[in-house]
Amino acid sequence: MRGLSLLVLALAQLVIALDYNIVYVALPDIGAGLGFAPHDLQWVVSAYVVTTGGFLLLGGRTADLLGRRRTFVAAALLYAGSSLVGGLAESAGALITVRAAQGIGGSLLFPATLALINTLYAEGPARNRAVAVWGAAGAGGLCFGSLLGGVLVEAFGWRSVFFVNVPLAGALAWAGWRLFPGDGPRTGPRRYDVTGALLGTGGITLLVFSLVRAPESGWASSSVLLGAALAVTLLAAFAVVEARARDPLVPVRLFTHRGLRAAMGLTALYSATFSSLPYFMTLYFQNVRGYGAFTTGLAFLVPAVVTALGTKAGELAVARAGSGRVLGGGMALGAGGAVVLGLALTGHGPYSLLLPGIVLLGVGQGAAWTGMWIAAASGVAAEDQGVASGMASTTLQVGGAIGLALLVALSSGTGQGPPDEHQLTGIRVAVFAIAAGLCCGAPLTLALRTSRTPAA
């Protein structure tokens, strides 16, 4: 039974990753089919990112208060319903609304899935193995999403990238209800911190929105500056409210957990570096090398397989060396791989020239992913696993938005000469910046090695 439960949890992570990535190759067809203005098409992706990042804290606390199984099933059903509506959408506004709803589904499903892993499997080898399987499914989904999207769009049109989620998410809801243990009777105070939820969700949503919008509108534009100012104001008010609330959305005691704080910093750094790389590699494959959507998807198969193997290696290494050392080693491997890959990026040459850098990056990314989530859950009480997962996954989303925005700005402002050479130079600069960013993870991994205090 535990094996089937883990399979369902891994498939949930696969669906989350697929849903994020599968629409990329369908964007041109979506834009033509629904009449998107060129500058609005990015919101097919950004609407998902903004709502996921904004609602993760609320999603994590919902899993703790309403129950992990209930939250998991409700989130899967939300995914299925919104995907069906997305496939039937007849206007740009309707599709963006659907993507926002899918993002809310992700903000519920991600922390509920991780909290179920952290409560169904005891801390130690069993949990490490489960996190490795879960992580491998997510890594595969991120990379296989591009390939699957290309196949579906060419064979059935852009609507198929939404319809494919309907049976998958529906099956997840049914399997979760049948396989996972009941949430049991509610004990103790179960009140929602409504004020904190509104302030925290609003502040994080505005922050992610501003970061996503900045590269297009300009960092000094009035909309970006106003959104950032409002985000800071709301988050400051959120901190004050949480410190005084009887039943806070985020218990203050969790911020005293040194290991969780370090893990949150590492998730932000991980997303800003490792998770930003596929964006620039897609530009490289399609715009510099001239690959089509299907060929680009094939090019991501090797990273997917290697990253999945890296998650397994991370599981085995954590048992011997601890999550801090595994994270440090994974980021060091990733930094070295990014340097090797950056040197191999040329306008011509075989794909095999990229493989050494891709392999080093993939192994490092997979190992760091496994170690990161093990560290985020270690020493956290069972009743706080949902919100702890929400905290770490929120910094994952915010870190990704900040990192990608900065890297896009950096890559766009470098290089001179013909457009092709200018873009290649910018991509190289971004890859080398990712290597430098990964080197900054060492102090945080040291904090994990010295942290042994539970947040109970």
mmCIF file of all heavy atoms in Angstrom, residues 188-240:
data_model
loop_
_atom_site.group_PDB
_atom_site.id
_atom_site.type_symbol
_atom_site.label_atom_id
_atom_site.label_comp_id
_atom_site.label_asym_id
_atom_site.label_seq_id
_atom_site.Cartn_x
_atom_site.Cartn_y
_atom_site.Cartn_z
ATOM 1 N N GLY A 188 -7.751 20.392 18.835
ATOM 2 C CA GLY A 188 -7.153 21.688 19.121
ATOM 3 C C GLY A 188 -7.780 22.781 18.288
ATOM 4 O O GLY A 188 -8.737 22.577 17.532
ATOM 5 N N PRO A 189 -7.256 24.003 18.394
ATOM 6 C CA PRO A 189 -7.796 25.131 17.642
ATOM 7 C C PRO A 189 -7.572 24.962 16.154
ATOM 8 O O PRO A 189 -6.478 24.611 15.718
ATOM 9 C CB PRO A 189 -7.007 26.330 18.194
ATOM 10 C CG PRO A 189 -5.737 25.743 18.721
ATOM 11 C CD PRO A 189 -6.088 24.387 19.223
ATOM 12 N N ARG A 190 -8.591 25.178 15.357
ATOM 13 C CA ARG A 190 -8.501 25.036 13.912
ATOM 14 C C ARG A 190 -9.042 26.281 13.219
ATOM 15 O O ARG A 190 -9.701 26.187 12.210
ATOM 16 C CB ARG A 190 -9.292 23.801 13.474
ATOM 17 C CG ARG A 190 -8.717 22.489 13.978
ATOM 18 C CD ARG A 190 -7.519 22.047 13.160
ATOM 19 N NE ARG A 190 -6.879 20.890 13.733
ATOM 20 C CZ ARG A 190 -6.001 20.120 13.082
ATOM 21 N NH1 ARG A 190 -5.656 20.414 11.867
ATOM 22 N NH2 ARG A 190 -5.462 19.090 13.671
ATOM 23 N N ARG A 191 -8.761 27.451 13.791
ATOM 24 C CA ARG A 191 -9.253 28.697 13.207
ATOM 25 C C ARG A 191 -8.266 29.207 12.176
ATOM 26 O O ARG A 191 -7.051 29.091 12.339
ATOM 27 C CB ARG A 191 -9.456 29.738 14.314
ATOM 28 C CG ARG A 191 -10.586 29.393 15.280
ATOM 29 C CD ARG A 191 -10.744 30.484 16.314
ATOM 30 N NE ARG A 191 -9.588 30.525 17.205
ATOM 31 C CZ ARG A 191 -9.494 29.809 18.322
ATOM 32 N NH1 ARG A 191 -10.472 28.993 18.674
ATOM 33 N NH2 ARG A 191 -8.427 29.899 19.090
ATOM 34 N N TYR A 192 -8.800 29.799 11.130
ATOM 35 C CA TYR A 192 -7.960 30.399 10.104
ATOM 36 C C TYR A 192 -7.582 31.817 10.504
ATOM 37 O O TYR A 192 -8.405 32.574 11.037
ATOM 38 C CB TYR A 192 -8.690 30.444 8.753
ATOM 39 C CG TYR A 192 -8.558 29.178 7.968
ATOM 40 C CD1 TYR A 192 -9.583 28.245 7.951
ATOM 41 C CD2 TYR A 192 -7.403 28.906 7.250
ATOM 42 C CE1 TYR A 192 -9.469 27.078 7.224
ATOM 43 C CE2 TYR A 192 -7.274 27.744 6.527
ATOM 44 C CZ TYR A 192 -8.307 26.829 6.509
ATOM 45 O OH TYR A 192 -8.182 25.669 5.806
ATOM 46 N N ASP A 193 -6.363 32.171 10.260
ATOM 47 C CA ASP A 193 -5.905 33.537 10.436
ATOM 48 C C ASP A 193 -6.260 34.301 9.160
ATOM 49 O O ASP A 193 -5.441 34.427 8.246
ATOM 50 C CB ASP A 193 -4.390 33.530 10.698
ATOM 51 C CG ASP A 193 -3.795 34.918 10.771
ATOM 52 O OD1 ASP A 193 -4.561 35.875 10.957
ATOM 53 O OD2 ASP A 193 -2.562 35.046 10.627
ATOM 54 N N VAL A 194 -7.512 34.784 9.091
ATOM 55 C CA VAL A 194 -8.012 35.396 7.861
ATOM 56 C C VAL A 194 -7.204 36.636 7.495
ATOM 57 O O VAL A 194 -6.793 36.832 6.342
ATOM 58 C CB VAL A 194 -9.510 35.750 8.004
ATOM 59 C CG1 VAL A 194 -10.004 36.451 6.746
ATOM 60 C CG2 VAL A 194 -10.325 34.484 8.265
ATOM 61 N N THR A 195 -6.942 37.502 8.495
ATOM 62 C CA THR A 195 -6.182 38.726 8.220
ATOM 63 C C THR A 195 -4.780 38.396 7.722
ATOM 64 O O THR A 195 -4.304 38.955 6.721
ATOM 65 C CB THR A 195 -6.093 39.587 9.485
ATOM 66 O OG1 THR A 195 -7.401 39.870 9.966
ATOM 67 C CG2 THR A 195 -5.366 40.896 9.194
ATOM 68 N N GLY A 196 -4.111 37.469 8.392
ATOM 69 C CA GLY A 196 -2.781 37.073 7.962
ATOM 70 C C GLY A 196 -2.787 36.441 6.579
ATOM 71 O O GLY A 196 -1.888 36.689 5.769
ATOM 72 N N ALA A 197 -3.822 35.624 6.303
ATOM 73 C CA ALA A 197 -3.916 34.982 4.991
ATOM 74 C C ALA A 197 -4.063 36.019 3.878
ATOM 75 O O ALA A 197 -3.400 35.936 2.837
ATOM 76 C CB ALA A 197 -5.092 34.011 4.970
ATOM 77 N N LEU A 198 -4.926 37.029 4.109
ATOM 78 C CA LEU A 198 -5.125 38.065 3.091
ATOM 79 C C LEU A 198 -3.860 38.886 2.888
ATOM 80 O O LEU A 198 -3.461 39.177 1.742
ATOM 81 C CB LEU A 198 -6.290 38.972 3.503
ATOM 82 C CG LEU A 198 -7.682 38.332 3.488
ATOM 83 C CD1 LEU A 198 -8.714 39.303 4.054
ATOM 84 C CD2 LEU A 198 -8.065 37.930 2.071
ATOM 85 N N LEU A 199 -3.202 39.281 3.993
ATOM 86 C CA LEU A 199 -1.992 40.097 3.876
ATOM 87 C C LEU A 199 -0.845 39.311 3.240
ATOM 88 O O LEU A 199 -0.161 39.815 2.337
ATOM 89 C CB LEU A 199 -1.571 40.600 5.260
ATOM 90 C CG LEU A 199 -2.475 41.648 5.913
ATOM 91 C CD1 LEU A 199 -2.045 41.897 7.347
ATOM 92 C CD2 LEU A 199 -2.456 42.952 5.115
ATOM 93 N N GLY A 200 -0.625 38.075 3.710
ATOM 94 C CA GLY A 200 0.469 37.279 3.177
ATOM 95 C C GLY A 200 0.272 36.916 1.720
ATOM 96 O O GLY A 200 1.180 37.066 0.896
ATOM 97 N N THR A 201 -0.931 36.448 1.389
ATOM 98 C CA THR A 201 -1.212 36.077 -0.001
ATOM 99 C C THR A 201 -1.138 37.294 -0.908
ATOM 100 O O THR A 201 -0.544 37.233 -1.996
ATOM 101 C CB THR A 201 -2.601 35.423 -0.092
ATOM 102 O OG1 THR A 201 -2.618 34.245 0.718
ATOM 103 C CG2 THR A 201 -2.925 35.047 -1.527
ATOM 104 N N GLY A 202 -1.727 38.410 -0.475
ATOM 105 C CA GLY A 202 -1.681 39.622 -1.290
ATOM 106 C C GLY A 202 -0.272 40.128 -1.478
ATOM 107 O O GLY A 202 0.128 40.522 -2.590
ATOM 108 N N GLY A 203 0.530 40.133 -0.413
ATOM 109 C CA GLY A 203 1.896 40.638 -0.512
ATOM 110 C C GLY A 203 2.771 39.784 -1.410
ATOM 111 O O GLY A 203 3.502 40.305 -2.266
ATOM 112 N N ILE A 204 2.695 38.460 -1.250
ATOM 113 C CA ILE A 204 3.530 37.584 -2.075
ATOM 114 C C ILE A 204 3.076 37.624 -3.532
ATOM 115 O O ILE A 204 3.896 37.635 -4.458
ATOM 116 C CB ILE A 204 3.497 36.151 -1.519
ATOM 117 C CG1 ILE A 204 4.141 36.117 -0.122
ATOM 118 C CG2 ILE A 204 4.246 35.194 -2.442
ATOM 119 C CD1 ILE A 204 3.949 34.817 0.612
ATOM 120 N N THR A 205 1.749 37.655 -3.753
ATOM 121 C CA THR A 205 1.233 37.716 -5.119
ATOM 122 C C THR A 205 1.702 38.991 -5.816
ATOM 123 O O THR A 205 2.149 38.955 -6.980
ATOM 124 C CB THR A 205 -0.309 37.649 -5.113
ATOM 125 O OG1 THR A 205 -0.722 36.435 -4.504
ATOM 126 C CG2 THR A 205 -0.856 37.704 -6.535
ATOM 127 N N LEU A 206 1.621 40.123 -5.138
ATOM 128 C CA LEU A 206 2.074 41.381 -5.728
ATOM 129 C C LEU A 206 3.576 41.374 -5.976
ATOM 130 O O LEU A 206 4.052 41.908 -6.989
ATOM 131 C CB LEU A 206 1.714 42.550 -4.812
ATOM 132 C CG LEU A 206 0.284 43.079 -4.923
ATOM 133 C CD1 LEU A 206 0.014 44.098 -3.830
ATOM 134 C CD2 LEU A 206 0.062 43.723 -6.301
ATOM 135 N N LEU A 207 4.333 40.757 -5.062
ATOM 136 C CA LEU A 207 5.781 40.684 -5.249
ATOM 137 C C LEU A 207 6.130 39.863 -6.489
ATOM 138 O O LEU A 207 6.935 40.290 -7.330
ATOM 139 C CB LEU A 207 6.423 40.075 -4.003
ATOM 140 C CG LEU A 207 7.944 39.869 -4.059
ATOM 141 C CD1 LEU A 207 8.664 41.189 -4.241
ATOM 142 C CD2 LEU A 207 8.433 39.157 -2.796
ATOM 143 N N VAL A 208 5.537 38.675 -6.609
ATOM 144 C CA VAL A 208 5.818 37.839 -7.777
ATOM 145 C C VAL A 208 5.326 38.514 -9.055
ATOM 146 O O VAL A 208 6.007 38.496 -10.091
ATOM 147 C CB VAL A 208 5.167 36.442 -7.602
ATOM 148 C CG1 VAL A 208 5.415 35.586 -8.827
ATOM 149 C CG2 VAL A 208 5.721 35.747 -6.367
ATOM 150 N N PHE A 209 4.150 39.147 -8.999
ATOM 151 C CA PHE A 209 3.617 39.867 -10.154
ATOM 152 C C PHE A 209 4.587 40.956 -10.616
ATOM 153 O O PHE A 209 4.864 41.100 -11.813
ATOM 154 C CB PHE A 209 2.265 40.488 -9.801
ATOM 155 C CG PHE A 209 1.702 41.399 -10.860
ATOM 156 C CD1 PHE A 209 0.993 40.893 -11.938
ATOM 157 C CD2 PHE A 209 1.891 42.772 -10.779
ATOM 158 C CE1 PHE A 209 0.489 41.725 -12.918
ATOM 159 C CE2 PHE A 209 1.388 43.621 -11.753
ATOM 160 C CZ PHE A 209 0.682 43.092 -12.827
ATOM 161 N N SER A 210 5.117 41.722 -9.679
ATOM 162 C CA SER A 210 6.039 42.804 -10.031
ATOM 163 C C SER A 210 7.318 42.258 -10.649
ATOM 164 O O SER A 210 7.843 42.819 -11.620
ATOM 165 C CB SER A 210 6.365 43.641 -8.785
ATOM 166 O OG SER A 210 5.201 44.197 -8.225
ATOM 167 N N LEU A 211 7.821 41.150 -10.099
ATOM 168 C CA LEU A 211 9.049 40.563 -10.626
ATOM 169 C C LEU A 211 8.843 39.973 -12.019
ATOM 170 O O LEU A 211 9.734 40.055 -12.871
ATOM 171 C CB LEU A 211 9.555 39.487 -9.662
ATOM 172 C CG LEU A 211 10.051 40.000 -8.306
ATOM 173 C CD1 LEU A 211 10.269 38.842 -7.348
ATOM 174 C CD2 LEU A 211 11.335 40.788 -8.473
ATOM 175 N N VAL A 212 7.688 39.379 -12.240
ATOM 176 C CA VAL A 212 7.397 38.815 -13.558
ATOM 177 C C VAL A 212 7.217 39.926 -14.593
ATOM 178 O O VAL A 212 7.638 39.807 -15.754
ATOM 179 C CB VAL A 212 6.137 37.925 -13.481
ATOM 180 C CG1 VAL A 212 5.639 37.566 -14.873
ATOM 181 C CG2 VAL A 212 6.438 36.658 -12.696
ATOM 182 N N ARG A 213 6.607 41.025 -14.185
ATOM 183 C CA ARG A 213 6.306 42.119 -15.108
ATOM 184 C C ARG A 213 7.516 43.006 -15.404
ATOM 185 O O ARG A 213 7.589 43.647 -16.463
ATOM 186 C CB ARG A 213 5.179 42.968 -14.529
ATOM 187 C CG ARG A 213 4.629 44.005 -15.488
ATOM 188 C CD ARG A 213 3.391 44.689 -14.917
ATOM 189 N NE ARG A 213 2.895 45.726 -15.795
ATOM 190 C CZ ARG A 213 2.151 45.525 -16.858
ATOM 191 N NH1 ARG A 213 1.804 44.282 -17.169
ATOM 192 N NH2 ARG A 213 1.746 46.525 -17.610
ATOM 193 N N ALA A 214 8.489 43.059 -14.480
ATOM 194 C CA ALA A 214 9.593 44.004 -14.589
ATOM 195 C C ALA A 214 10.400 43.899 -15.895
ATOM 196 O O ALA A 214 10.691 44.923 -16.514
ATOM 197 C CB ALA A 214 10.513 43.854 -13.385
ATOM 198 N N PRO A 215 10.797 42.691 -16.358
ATOM 199 C CA PRO A 215 11.589 42.643 -17.589
ATOM 200 C C PRO A 215 10.865 43.225 -18.802
ATOM 201 O O PRO A 215 11.508 43.783 -19.696
ATOM 202 C CB PRO A 215 11.851 41.134 -17.775
ATOM 203 C CG PRO A 215 11.741 40.563 -16.404
ATOM 204 C CD PRO A 215 10.664 41.358 -15.732
ATOM 205 N N GLU A 216 9.537 43.099 -18.838
ATOM 206 C CA GLU A 216 8.776 43.621 -19.981
ATOM 207 C C GLU A 216 8.511 45.116 -19.845
ATOM 208 O O GLU A 216 8.714 45.885 -20.790
ATOM 209 C CB GLU A 216 7.441 42.882 -20.087
ATOM 210 C CG GLU A 216 6.531 43.434 -21.178
ATOM 211 C CD GLU A 216 5.095 42.963 -21.022
ATOM 212 O OE1 GLU A 216 4.830 42.115 -20.155
ATOM 213 O OE2 GLU A 216 4.243 43.472 -21.756
ATOM 214 N N SER A 217 8.078 45.564 -18.658
ATOM 215 C CA SER A 217 7.683 46.962 -18.467
ATOM 216 C C SER A 217 8.833 47.863 -18.081
ATOM 217 O O SER A 217 8.730 49.089 -18.214
ATOM 218 C CB SER A 217 6.588 47.049 -17.392
ATOM 219 O OG SER A 217 5.475 46.273 -17.747
ATOM 220 N N GLY A 218 9.925 47.292 -17.578
ATOM 221 C CA GLY A 218 11.040 48.091 -17.097
ATOM 222 C C GLY A 218 11.035 48.155 -15.577
ATOM 223 O O GLY A 218 9.975 48.294 -14.958
ATOM 224 N N TRP A 219 12.214 48.067 -14.980
ATOM 225 C CA TRP A 219 12.327 48.036 -13.528
ATOM 226 C C TRP A 219 11.884 49.350 -12.889
ATOM 227 O O TRP A 219 11.518 49.369 -11.711
ATOM 228 C CB TRP A 219 13.758 47.709 -13.123
ATOM 229 C CG TRP A 219 14.128 46.300 -13.433
ATOM 230 C CD1 TRP A 219 14.691 45.834 -14.584
ATOM 231 C CD2 TRP A 219 13.934 45.157 -12.597
ATOM 232 N NE1 TRP A 219 14.858 44.467 -14.514
ATOM 233 C CE2 TRP A 219 14.416 44.031 -13.311
ATOM 234 C CE3 TRP A 219 13.417 44.973 -11.323
ATOM 235 C CZ2 TRP A 219 14.386 42.746 -12.779
ATOM 236 C CZ3 TRP A 219 13.384 43.696 -10.797
ATOM 237 C CH2 TRP A 219 13.867 42.597 -11.516
ATOM 238 N N ALA A 220 11.947 50.449 -13.645
ATOM 239 C CA ALA A 220 11.572 51.747 -13.092
ATOM 240 C C ALA A 220 10.160 52.159 -13.490
ATOM 241 O O ALA A 220 9.754 53.296 -13.220
ATOM 242 C CB ALA A 220 12.573 52.816 -13.541
ATOM 243 N N SER A 221 9.392 51.272 -14.112
ATOM 244 C CA SER A 221 8.041 51.636 -14.531
ATOM 245 C C SER A 221 7.142 51.817 -13.318
ATOM 246 O O SER A 221 7.355 51.227 -12.256
ATOM 247 C CB SER A 221 7.461 50.560 -15.447
ATOM 248 O OG SER A 221 7.262 49.351 -14.738
ATOM 249 N N SER A 222 6.120 52.649 -13.477
ATOM 250 C CA SER A 222 5.243 52.975 -12.345
ATOM 251 C C SER A 222 4.510 51.737 -11.829
ATOM 252 O O SER A 222 4.330 51.566 -10.617
ATOM 253 C CB SER A 222 4.239 54.048 -12.764
ATOM 254 O OG SER A 222 3.469 53.612 -13.887
ATOM 255 N N SER A 223 4.077 50.844 -12.734
ATOM 256 C CA SER A 223 3.335 49.658 -12.293
ATOM 257 C C SER A 223 4.206 48.724 -11.454
ATOM 258 O O SER A 223 3.756 48.165 -10.449
ATOM 259 C CB SER A 223 2.772 48.907 -13.504
ATOM 260 O OG SER A 223 3.820 48.461 -14.349
ATOM 261 N N VAL A 224 5.476 48.566 -11.858
ATOM 262 C CA VAL A 224 6.391 47.692 -11.113
ATOM 263 C C VAL A 224 6.732 48.298 -9.756
ATOM 264 O O VAL A 224 6.702 47.620 -8.725
ATOM 265 C CB VAL A 224 7.666 47.429 -11.938
ATOM 266 C CG1 VAL A 224 8.717 46.708 -11.092
ATOM 267 C CG2 VAL A 224 7.337 46.595 -13.171
ATOM 268 N N LEU A 225 7.045 49.598 -9.734
ATOM 269 C CA LEU A 225 7.401 50.260 -8.476
ATOM 270 C C LEU A 225 6.221 50.282 -7.505
ATOM 271 O O LEU A 225 6.380 50.043 -6.297
ATOM 272 C CB LEU A 225 7.896 51.676 -8.751
ATOM 273 C CG LEU A 225 9.230 51.786 -9.496
ATOM 274 C CD1 LEU A 225 9.559 53.241 -9.780
ATOM 275 C CD2 LEU A 225 10.351 51.136 -8.686
ATOM 276 N N LEU A 226 5.021 50.567 -8.037
ATOM 277 C CA LEU A 226 3.839 50.586 -7.178
ATOM 278 C C LEU A 226 3.542 49.200 -6.631
ATOM 279 O O LEU A 226 3.244 49.029 -5.434
ATOM 280 C CB LEU A 226 2.639 51.117 -7.964
ATOM 281 C CG LEU A 226 1.299 51.171 -7.199
ATOM 282 C CD1 LEU A 226 1.416 52.086 -5.988
ATOM 283 C CD2 LEU A 226 0.174 51.628 -8.128
ATOM 284 N N GLY A 227 3.626 48.173 -7.492
ATOM 285 C CA GLY A 227 3.377 46.812 -7.047
ATOM 286 C C GLY A 227 4.380 46.370 -5.989
ATOM 287 O O GLY A 227 4.013 45.751 -4.982
ATOM 288 N N ALA A 228 5.665 46.719 -6.187
ATOM 289 C CA ALA A 228 6.688 46.345 -5.214
ATOM 290 C C ALA A 228 6.473 47.057 -3.884
ATOM 291 O O ALA A 228 6.623 46.458 -2.805
ATOM 292 C CB ALA A 228 8.069 46.669 -5.769
ATOM 293 N N ALA A 229 6.107 48.351 -3.934
ATOM 294 C CA ALA A 229 5.871 49.107 -2.704
ATOM 295 C C ALA A 229 4.687 48.531 -1.930
ATOM 296 O O ALA A 229 4.742 48.375 -0.695
ATOM 297 C CB ALA A 229 5.632 50.577 -3.030
ATOM 298 N N LEU A 230 3.614 48.202 -2.642
ATOM 299 C CA LEU A 230 2.453 47.606 -1.976
ATOM 300 C C LEU A 230 2.795 46.234 -1.396
ATOM 301 O O LEU A 230 2.336 45.874 -0.304
ATOM 302 C CB LEU A 230 1.289 47.483 -2.965
ATOM 303 C CG LEU A 230 0.579 48.782 -3.350
ATOM 304 C CD1 LEU A 230 -0.439 48.523 -4.457
ATOM 305 C CD2 LEU A 230 -0.111 49.396 -2.125
ATOM 306 N N ALA A 231 3.607 45.462 -2.136
ATOM 307 C CA ALA A 231 4.006 44.140 -1.646
ATOM 308 C C ALA A 231 4.786 44.257 -0.342
ATOM 309 O O ALA A 231 4.526 43.521 0.618
ATOM 310 C CB ALA A 231 4.837 43.424 -2.702
ATOM 311 N N VAL A 232 5.748 45.174 -0.282
ATOM 312 C CA VAL A 232 6.545 45.364 0.936
ATOM 313 C C VAL A 232 5.653 45.801 2.092
ATOM 314 O O VAL A 232 5.786 45.320 3.227
ATOM 315 C CB VAL A 232 7.664 46.385 0.683
ATOM 316 C CG1 VAL A 232 8.353 46.763 1.998
ATOM 317 C CG2 VAL A 232 8.680 45.824 -0.301
ATOM 318 N N THR A 233 4.708 46.709 1.810
ATOM 319 C CA THR A 233 3.794 47.187 2.862
ATOM 320 C C THR A 233 2.947 46.050 3.415
ATOM 321 O O THR A 233 2.800 45.884 4.638
ATOM 322 C CB THR A 233 2.891 48.295 2.306
ATOM 323 O OG1 THR A 233 3.700 49.368 1.811
ATOM 324 C CG2 THR A 233 1.957 48.831 3.387
ATOM 325 N N LEU A 234 2.358 45.257 2.514
ATOM 326 C CA LEU A 234 1.516 44.151 2.952
ATOM 327 C C LEU A 234 2.315 43.097 3.722
ATOM 328 O O LEU A 234 1.833 42.553 4.727
ATOM 329 C CB LEU A 234 0.832 43.508 1.749
ATOM 330 C CG LEU A 234 -0.255 44.343 1.057
ATOM 331 C CD1 LEU A 234 -0.742 43.633 -0.197
ATOM 332 C CD2 LEU A 234 -1.429 44.592 2.002
ATOM 333 N N LEU A 235 3.529 42.798 3.264
ATOM 334 C CA LEU A 235 4.333 41.781 3.947
ATOM 335 C C LEU A 235 4.804 42.280 5.314
ATOM 336 O O LEU A 235 4.914 41.484 6.261
ATOM 337 C CB LEU A 235 5.525 41.385 3.074
ATOM 338 C CG LEU A 235 5.166 40.593 1.816
ATOM 339 C CD1 LEU A 235 6.392 40.381 0.944
ATOM 340 C CD2 LEU A 235 4.549 39.250 2.186
ATOM 341 N N ALA A 236 5.073 43.590 5.437
ATOM 342 C CA ALA A 236 5.425 44.137 6.752
ATOM 343 C C ALA A 236 4.240 44.026 7.708
ATOM 344 O O ALA A 236 4.395 43.648 8.883
ATOM 345 C CB ALA A 236 5.869 45.595 6.607
ATOM 346 N N ALA A 237 3.049 44.365 7.208
ATOM 347 C CA ALA A 237 1.845 44.223 8.036
ATOM 348 C C ALA A 237 1.593 42.761 8.381
ATOM 349 O O ALA A 237 1.169 42.434 9.504
ATOM 350 C CB ALA A 237 0.644 44.808 7.298
ATOM 351 N N PHE A 238 1.879 41.854 7.443
ATOM 352 C CA PHE A 238 1.730 40.414 7.677
ATOM 353 C C PHE A 238 2.627 39.966 8.837
ATOM 354 O O PHE A 238 2.191 39.208 9.719
ATOM 355 C CB PHE A 238 2.086 39.659 6.397
ATOM 356 C CG PHE A 238 2.181 38.166 6.547
ATOM 357 C CD1 PHE A 238 1.052 37.390 6.718
ATOM 358 C CD2 PHE A 238 3.420 37.533 6.504
ATOM 359 C CE1 PHE A 238 1.147 36.014 6.849
ATOM 360 C CE2 PHE A 238 3.522 36.161 6.632
ATOM 361 C CZ PHE A 238 2.385 35.408 6.807
ATOM 362 N N ALA A 239 3.872 40.447 8.859
ATOM 363 C CA ALA A 239 4.790 40.074 9.931
ATOM 364 C C ALA A 239 4.269 40.534 11.292
ATOM 365 O O ALA A 239 4.353 39.798 12.286
ATOM 366 C CB ALA A 239 6.171 40.660 9.659
ATOM 367 N N VAL A 240 3.711 41.759 11.345
ATOM 368 C CA VAL A 240 3.177 42.279 12.607
ATOM 369 C C VAL A 240 1.972 41.449 13.064
ATOM 370 O O VAL A 240 1.860 41.073 14.237
ATOM 371 C CB VAL A 240 2.787 43.766 12.444
ATOM 372 C CG1 VAL A 240 2.069 44.272 13.694
ATOM 373 C CG2 VAL A 240 4.024 44.610 12.157
#
